[in-house]
Amino acid sequence: MINKRINIFLLTILIIVFSCAQKKDNSSGSSNQESLSLNKGDYAVEISTSKLIWTGKEVSTKQHNGTLNIKNGQIIISDKGLISGDIEIDMSSINTTDIKGRGKDRLDGHLKSPDFFDVKKHPVAFLKFQGNEKHFSDGKLKFDGELTIKNISHPISFFSTIENVNGKLSARAEVTFDRSLYNVRFGSGKFFDNLGDRLIYDEISIDVFIVTA
């Protein structure tokens, strides 16, 4: 009889402990949904301090890095918390930063040529995006939009951190796109066979850092 009472007592304790742990887990899960409060209005992108850093990789594990300049841009936050942005990218500003000298000059020229981004015909690329500050979670906000390169447009999605800093907006994001969708064919396995170690991956990533004026 005593053993039976002890077993019932232990079972009751286990149920209480499990219930408390479950409540704790649920509360911690709900805390992941954070609130984001941004000042409403129109913000112009500060060209001199905003940065675009690109990375391209080859199958041989070799990669190159460089920068692109923003030509113009704005971010608009509505009274309802809708966030929209429009960025113009100066493609003629393609600049390789991981090499110097003739190698750098050759690569910069090649990337600007018709083999890649054909900047004489298509000097500007466009990134448009929109999000909702109510969908801010785990420190990031999801944006959906459209990327236009060489007058070809495709949908794109990415996550960004965004915050108010002394009345300005500061945002960081990593945007990855498939160059083959924009008819950038050189070294692409989707257009050429038997490239071997000359294969260049189609995915190009851009680290975006935007500050508004």
Side-chain angles (χ1 to χ4, degrees):
M1 187 69 177
I2 294 176
N3 289 337
K4 185 175 180 181
R5 289 178 179 177
I6 291 175
N7 290 336
I8 294 174
F9 177 75
L10 290 175
L11 180 60
T12 303
I13 294 296
L14 287 173
I15 292 173
I16 293 172
V17 170
F18 178 79
S19 299
C20 291
Q22 193 173 34
K23 288 180 181 179
K24 185 177 180 180
D25 289 339
N26 290 337
S27 63
S28 63
S30 61
S31 65
N32 287 334
Q33 195 69 31
E34 305 167 46
S35 60
L36 179 64
S37 180
L38 300 173
N39 296 331
K40 316 309 175 191
D42 296 3
Y43 297 83
V45 173
E46 195 170 78
I47 306 303
S48 60
T49 53
S50 299
K51 299 178 182 179
L52 300 177
I53 302 174
W54 56 264
T55 301
K57 298 180 180 180
E58 298 179 14
V59 71
S60 61
T61 70
K62 184 179 180 181
Q63 71 176 43
H64 289 292
N65 308 97
T67 59
L68 280 165
N69 294 338
I70 295 175
K71 188 174 183 179
N72 193 16
Q74 64 176 346
I75 296 176
I76 301 172
I77 302 178
S78 73
D79 293 335
K80 296 182 179 180
L82 300 177
I83 305 171
S84 59
D86 192 344
I87 306 295
E88 295 182 29
I89 304 168
D90 181 4
M91 297 301 291
S92 65
S93 70
I94 293 175
N95 176 45
T96 307
T97 57
D98 64 297
I99 54 176
K100 297 180 180 179
R102 292 181 181 179
K104 166 187 163 53
D105 293 339
R106 282 196 298 267
L107 182 54
D108 286 351
H110 199 192
L111 292 173
K112 295 175 184 179
S113 76
D115 279 345
F116 279 91
F117 296 102
D118 200 1
V119 301
K120 285 187 177 180
K121 287 186 178 179
H122 309 286
V124 181
F126 301 92
L127 175 62
K128 298 177 183 290
F129 53 89
Q130 55 276 327
N132 190 323
E133 66 178 8
K134 295 179 181 178
H135 298 159
F136 184 70
S137 180
D138 293 328
K140 293 184 178 182
L141 182 67
K142 184 182 179 184
F143 287 97
D144 297 303
E146 183 178 78
L147 178 63
T148 301
I149 300 174
K150 298 173 72 172
N151 288 337
I152 302 171
S153 300
H154 286 284
I156 196 165
S157 298
F158 59 91
F159 290 88
S160 173
T161 60
I162 184 169
E163 58 183 340
N164 285 318
V165 179
N166 298 323
K168 300 180 179 182
L169 295 181
S170 175
R172 291 181 180 273
E174 181 179 343
V175 179
T176 301
F177 69 94
D178 182 344
R179 66 185 176 96
S180 68
L181 296 175
Y182 302 91
N183 201 29
V184 181
R185 299 188 174 199
F186 187 87
S188 171
K190 292 181 181 177
F191 299 100
F192 303 99
D193 297 326
N194 304 318
L195 289 170
D197 60 4
R198 294 179 291 117
L199 175 71
I200 301 173
Y201 288 118
D202 292 324
E203 288 72 28
I204 296 177
S205 64
I206 299 180
D207 291 321
V208 181
F209 175 62
I210 291 177
V211 177
T212 63

